[in-house]
Amino acid sequence: MPNTLSKPNGTSSSTSSNNPDDKGKKQVELQPSFTPTLLERLGITSFHLLNKLIPWYKLPGFIGAFNLAFLRIELRQYNLHDAYATSQAQGSSITDPLPNKCYLGARNSDGKFNDLKQPRMGCTGMRFGRNFPREACAKPSEEELMTPNPRMISERFMARKEGKFIPATTLNLLAAAWIQFQTHDWFFHEQDPNEKLNVPLSEDDKWLDQHMQLYATKPDEALDPSDVKCPGYKNLNTHWWDGSQIYGSSESATQTLRNRHPDGKLSLDSRGREQFLPRDQDGNVLTGFNDNWWVGMEILHTLFALEHNAICDALRKEYPDWSGDQIFDKARLVNCALMAKIHTVEWTPAILAHPALQIGMAANWWGIVGEKLTKIAGRLSKTSEIISGIPGSGAEQDGTPYSLTEEFVSVYRMHSLMPETIAFFSAVDGHHATTIPVVDTTFTKSQSPFDDGLSFADVFYSFGINYPGAITNNNYPNFLRNLRTPDGQVRDLGTVDILRDRERGVPRYCEFRRMLRLSVPKTFEELTGGNKVLAKELAEAYNNDISLVDALVGSHSEPVIPGFGFSETAFRIFILMASRRLKSDRFIAGEWNEEMYTKVGFKWVQNSGMKDVLGRHFPELRETLKASKNVFAPWEMQAKSKEYKGVETNA
Ligand code: HEM
């Protein structure tokens, strides 16, 4: 359990950094959230020494994975900070008594009662935490917010040049849709329609107006003087990995979606041979989180609604006397855990295709003893996450109440994954059927490929062979840089991504790295790893002041570790927070057993992967998927699909 909650959360003081490159710079000291054991400290120090000679990613895979495990301990020590001045915000059994014992064995849709001693922890409406002390994340002045002009940065470093789509050839479009689908489970900020941000535009800007007007992010009410300097922002979703994009982030939302089906199923409407998510009278999809909807969300939400219903069938068979509520609750637990597992052992190794990560991510779930032995013998170590994996190792908050963080949101700004167009093919014989601009599959138009006669199997196959965009400079799709959303707003998401990080106090690139104890570039050329042209462009845009480079732009500009789909800077936040989502959760790290999940349910999670889920609901895909090692890497194309020569499937 938390061991330093008595520490005032987020406190820090000004001293020098522990990075030797930064001697003399005014620094915010990172105060430990928890204290590693002697053995762990020894491991951290040894790898520090080793890394002076060889960075972790150049070590043999197994040693590299151990290096990362110790790095994660160090990150837990220094980079977890609560956004509340006191831990009272997390509630107690007195302020938030358990209303029904069913929540001991089932997820509460508001996200409450995951931790029974701090029942509000991670629930809907709780603030995003920080990976850096709050003093380092102060709200900027108006001038700081607009300097340099975020639209200029978007035009120069985000805009995809005409005909210059940069594909990520180790991934498929399913990987792009998957991560957006997951972020919709984890987080979304609230906007304030009464508070506007006006981005000034240059005279030759082709934007439809004199300035670009955006709603500001809505800050939470100030509960403490520190909230004025560094406001807290609420998460509209639960912070937990609880499938809230499917099930909703409130008990009432869940009830609407369930429609009281006697077998605990989610509502789906049949059209011909296919089942679709239900819609309201205006054509808006009815699901847990339906913002920023497109065909990618349509197929993944439908797939996991079908999966939920299949789990319900299996449970009903085993427990004929159970009520619909009992079945629903256990099916949700199983479905959520399965998504968490797929993300951990399949999606992540696809986007971070490095031997240390292949070992490390499998170990996050199964431990270093591996899947086979764990399945036969269960956990060999009761509590060691390294030996036997995080699930079942015991829930732990490492000294800071669990929440996702502003920096975590920032590193998932991966809009460049989106292409401009999607080429659709038949899953049966592979022929090219049609190519549709992504924008024509957004919001209420998300079913347009189905209206054109395509099936879910066709669309999944197409997502399996289309490339997403690479996460790098000048690769934002043009439709997202001029996006009209159903609420009437028109936004350039390139500008928005820059502005949101600044607005929410996410430190700029150099400070961001300093806070992670990474080396901090002194020159633009050092930042770009010797790319002189890019260095010159950055220096020009950022007025020769390297400290101003935005976290996102710097991350897109730094040299990439071989096999990595995103920057090492972002990766540091990722290794800390990816494990934390599992380790903090009572239903995953804590009560990971057949009693909680049922025998059928526990087996369902442990024996299924994304291939099984796809094959279960769309048997036409089984043959194609036989050859696939990772469902999020490009699938083997059928002969007829290879005849198509468009950029969507050809690099
Ligand atoms: C058709 C596809 C997409 C659309 C229409 C879309 C649209 C949007 C919009 C309108 C916002 C809110 C902007 C604001 O703050 O004013 C947003 C935020 C965001 N999007 Fe996307 N997006 C898409 C794909 C993606 C993908 C593939 C990712 C990858 C992870 C992604 C990650 C994010 C993140 C991290 C945020 C910030 C959320 C927050 O502030 O809490 N989006 N997107």
Side-chain angles (χ1 to χ4, degrees), residues 176 179-180 183 187-189 191 292 294 409 412-415 418 479-480 483 485 491 493 496 500 504:
I179 188 56
Q180 189 191 9
T183 63
F187 55 75
F188 217 70
H189 282 76
Q191 295 180 4
N292 307 331
W294 60 292
V409 175
Y412 278 101
R413 295 190 179 281
M414 296 179 173
H415 286 118
M418 295 300 299
F479 81 93
L480 287 184
L483 181 74
T485 41
R491 275 168 283 182
L493 285 194
V496 169
R500 292 288 181 233
R504 296 167 189 170

Side-chain angles (χ1 to χ4, degrees), residues 151 158-160 162 165 173 176 180 207 292-296 414-422 436-443 445 463 469 475-485 489-494:
R151 168 71 171 174
M158 309 294 196
R160 188 177 275 159
E162 200 54 40
F165 169 61
L173 190 54
Q180 189 191 9
W207 192 251
N292 307 331
W293 197 255
W294 60 292
V295 63
M414 296 179 173
H415 286 118
S416 41
L417 284 170
M418 295 300 299
E420 309 289 343
T421 46
I422 308 173
I436 307 183
V438 182
V439 70
D440 292 342
T441 74
T442 53
F443 309 113
K445 292 182 281 186
F463 269 61
N475 210 22
Y476 264 55
N478 287 312
F479 81 93
L480 287 184
R481 294 193 60 251
N482 189 357
L483 181 74
R484 182 178 291 276
T485 41
Q489 291 189 71
V490 188
R491 275 168 283 182
D492 162 13
L493 285 194

Side-chain angles (χ1 to χ4, degrees), residues 55-92:
W56 68 265
Y57 53 87
K58 290 195 176 157
L59 293 168
F62 209 72
I63 304 177
F66 263 100
N67 195 153
L68 290 178
F70 283 100
L71 187 58
R72 185 172 67 190
I73 298 171
E74 194 186 343
L75 287 161
R76 285 175 178 165
Q77 186 179 6
Y78 293 113
N79 292 104
L80 293 174
H81 298 269
D82 194 5
Y84 291 94
T86 78
S87 58
Q88 279 166 9
Q90 311 298 327
S92 68

Side-chain angles (χ1 to χ4, degrees), residues 514-635:
R514 195 172 287 124
M515 292 278 149
L516 291 166
R517 296 162 304 286
L518 282 162
S519 65
V520 179
K522 289 188 203 66
T523 64
F524 285 94
E525 217 170 301
E526 200 185 319
L527 192 163
T528 62
N531 181 337
K532 288 196 170 101
V533 178
L534 177 58
K536 192 165 169 268
E537 283 172 23
L538 287 169
E540 224 173 84
Y542 284 96
N543 203 16
N544 267 318
D545 186 347
I546 197 166
S547 71
L548 290 182
V549 174
D550 291 283
L552 187 62
V553 177
S555 298
H556 286 173
S557 304
E558 71 180 48
V560 175
I561 293 173
F564 266 40
F566 55 80
S567 69
E568 192 187 12
T569 306
F571 173 66
R572 293 284 159 127
I573 297 294
F574 172 88
I575 35 171
L576 173 62
M577 300 305 292
S579 314
R580 185 157 165 81
R581 288 195 306 274
L582 298 170
K583 185 69 183 158
S584 294
D585 194 314
R586 171 165 68 93
F587 297 102
I588 295 179
E591 296 168 57
W592 181 247
N593 51 44
E594 290 180 353
E595 287 73 56
M596 176 59 80
Y597 280 80
T598 74
K599 207 168 177 166
V600 182
F602 199 64
K603 275 213 181 91
W604 192 288
V605 182
Q606 296 296 56
N607 294 337
S608 304
M610 189 66 173
K611 228 190 227 191
D612 305 292
V613 177
L614 285 166
R616 194 154 27 237
H617 303 291
F618 305 108
E620 308 93 301
L621 297 175
R622 284 183 195 154
E623 194 51 39
T624 307
L625 284 172
K626 262 188 195 159
S628 160
K629 287 208 176 74
N630 186 316
V631 168
F632 298 107
W635 297 3

Side-chain angles (χ1 to χ4, degrees), residues 439-479:
V439 70
D440 292 342
T441 74
T442 53
F443 309 113
T444 50
K445 292 182 281 186
S446 63
Q447 293 187 343
S448 59
F450 304 98
D451 299 338
D452 283 358
L454 292 156
S455 68
F456 271 98
D458 296 333
V459 177
F460 271 114
Y461 169 66
S462 308
F463 269 61
I465 64 172
N466 273 244
Y467 290 126
I471 301 172
T472 188
N473 283 324
N474 297 111
N475 210 22
Y476 264 55
N478 287 312
F479 81 93

